[in-house]
Amino acid sequence: MMRVTFIHADGKARTEAEAEPGSILLDVAQAHLMPLEGTCEGQMACSTCHVIVTKEDFDRLPPASEMEEDMLDLAAGVRRTSRLSCQIVLTAELDGLTVHIPPESRNMQGPR
């Protein structure tokens, strides 16, 4: 198992999550009730699963595709280290990854 830390939109609360290598970050986030929509099921037809990766962890990620960068242009609150969580496959190299849930995030499906 590997560890992922989600920093909530308030910037204070944290959720520690365990995940299997090969998991998609969005699936881990949703399993821990993070407010990330991701309704396009990884097809990059939306930007509602946007997260901000810590500067320390950003360089450990593979580069974003051109399509992902185009989708991020549509997301609210994008930062230099923003990525779509549906495009982050957790590998052993990403153990300990920390991401921020943007204040602009929302879950249109409501509470689970």
Side-chain angles (χ1 to χ4, degrees):
M1 294 296 271
M2 49 189 306
R3 186 180 49 84
V4 176
T5 301
F6 296 95
I7 301 175
H8 295 239
D10 66 7
K12 298 175 185 173
R14 294 173 179 254
T15 296
E16 300 284 333
E18 288 189 345
E20 294 284 339
S23 299
I24 304 296
L25 183 61
L26 175 60
D27 295 336
V28 176
Q30 289 180 334
H32 288 83
L33 305 178
M34 297 293 103
L36 298 177
E37 187 70 18
T39 56
C40 71
E41 297 180 1
Q43 300 302 310
M44 287 195 283
C46 64
S47 57
T48 58
C49 68
H50 159 234
V51 294
I52 302 167
V53 180
T54 60
K55 290 177 185 176
E56 299 79 21
D57 290 339
F58 187 74
D59 291 334
R60 295 196 291 157
L61 294 172
S65 68
E66 187 175 322
M67 188 173 178
E68 181 180 358
E69 288 180 1
D70 289 346
M71 290 312 305
L72 283 167
D73 287 342
L74 304 175
V78 172
R79 309 292 190 277
R80 186 186 71 75
T81 61
S82 292
R83 293 296 297 270
L84 298 179
S85 64
C86 68
Q87 297 301 299
I88 299 175
V89 178
L90 298 173
T91 62
E93 293 81 19
L94 295 177
D95 189 25
L97 179 71
T98 300
V99 298
H100 297 261
I101 304 299
E104 297 85 358
S105 67
R106 65 195 185 286
N107 185 343
M108 297 171 68
Q109 295 176 349
R112 294 181 178 183

